[in-house]
Amino acid sequence: MIVRAAHLSWSGVPPSGHDTRPWLLRPFWQQIPRRWIKMLALLGLLCFISVCLGLSINQRDQAFANGRKLQDLGNDQAVSHFPPSRQTHQTTHDPTILRVGDEYYLYHVGEHIFIHTAPSMAGPWKRVGTLLDANSVIPKGDRAAPWAPTVITVDGTYYCYYSVSKAGCRDSAIGVATSNSPGPGNWHDHGIVIQTGTGNGSDIHPYTVSNAIDPSTLITPEGDALLTYGSYWNGIFQIPLGKDLLSPRSTTDPDARQLAWEPKSLGMPNRLANTICGDPTGPHAIEGAFISYNAGWYYLWYSHGFCCNLKEDNLPPAGQEYSIRVGRSNSPRGPFTDKSGTDLVKGGGELVYGSNGDTYAPGGQGVLRDGDTDVLYYHYLNKTVGIAFQDALLGFNPLKYVDGWPVAQA
């Protein structure tokens, strides 16, 4: 046996200084070939790096979930939590709020667009009726419950821009209704402003690559009207409106600008995805744009991540649920950038408000100038109450500006 082992272990004369004992008679650690030792050492190093990387990623995601700023990780003194939401106990989704005199008007998703009023942002909110008297005149999507209304007032006329669509599809349209008062009972539905997917004008860029929902209309100091819209696909776009505020300034040359986009897909595409229902490149989760103005800067707010059809046993990874982000520009037409100077079209965006405490997945936001204070309002979920679409609640936080950047306050 010894001779056989020696024969198997050696060939030729061993170098001077080598252990000449047969392989099986050496100490255990010497029986392991050197290349195995090197491979085991390399494997151990890779495992160590993987564990450290995993801890780092987990720290990042948990920090996001706790409401910390991603850019502040690694600096314990700079890390800060988001303040709790000022809660109203008012169910809402994609709210828009106006103040008319001493009364506040809330418009949000519901059959024919719900209208509530209250003596303050905190409520109590009382439902006073609906904006439309019947289904939208636009023959698309969910005509009975238009999405994401936004209401502005110009020279005594109130304009409500709304969207009709089908979840997950971009065969959508933005419509407009007008009234001489903010309450229910006197709104006229003018129908389509723009549409994507199918229908007249949908074959013109950017309607060929965008989703006509989540409208937000801004009137500049010069009197120009700009319609900002978009959801998923290629992100947020903007076009000028005509003087009547009911149609694009041009139907053949929209003069469109792409303002923001999430270049990375946050998940796998549906296997049946096409250019109309489902993006074949996966979900580029950005939507709900809103533009506000303060002290020489235009701020483009948007919702990033997943908001709807959530399941308690399969929530998005921490940091991929809805959160509120912003970029700024000296021009209402952009380009909009974040603090680092990254263009929002290239994936930039400053995180202003995210999940914290009982507040989960805030988004669908707007900004109301209330006296001399800007107030950020939004819908959010409280997981102890429920995470269904109809469980969304109205929350808000005053804003202060630090070096020209908005910061949510308690």
Side-chain angles (χ1 to χ4, degrees), residues 84-163:
S85 171
R86 293 194 182 183
Q87 301 179 4
T88 65
H89 307 293
Q90 171 60 48
T91 56
T92 189
H93 211 283
D94 293 337
T96 184
I97 298 177
L98 288 184
R99 180 175 177 177
V100 183
D102 293 329
E103 195 164 26
Y104 294 79
Y105 286 79
L106 166 67
Y107 310 84
H108 61 106
V109 179
E111 186 175 10
H112 301 158
I113 306 176
F114 292 158
I115 303 178
H116 287 69
T117 61
S120 73
M121 289 279 287
W125 291 94
K126 176 184 177 182
R127 183 175 165 183
V128 294
T130 63
L131 191 140
L132 300 179
D133 295 327
N135 292 355
S136 166
V137 298
I138 302 173
K140 276 192 176 189
D142 191 349
R143 300 171 58 196
W147 299 357
T150 185
V151 181
I152 63 171
T153 178
V154 180
D155 297 332
T157 298
Y158 294 85
Y159 297 79
C160 175
Y161 298 86
Y162 64 83
S163 44

Side-chain angles (χ1 to χ4, degrees), residues 394-410:
L394 175 65
F396 66 96
N397 293 86
L399 295 172
K400 74 173 182 179
Y401 292 83
V402 179
D403 296 327
W405 290 98
V407 179
Q409 305 296 295

Side-chain angles (χ1 to χ4, degrees), residues 234-257:
N234 286 274
I236 308 302
F237 288 84
Q238 184 189 85
I239 64 164
L241 293 178
K243 294 296 184 182
D244 62 1
L245 306 184
L246 305 178
S247 58
R249 188 172 64 188
S250 171
T251 57
T252 57
D253 182 14
D255 187 20
R257 305 280 177 88

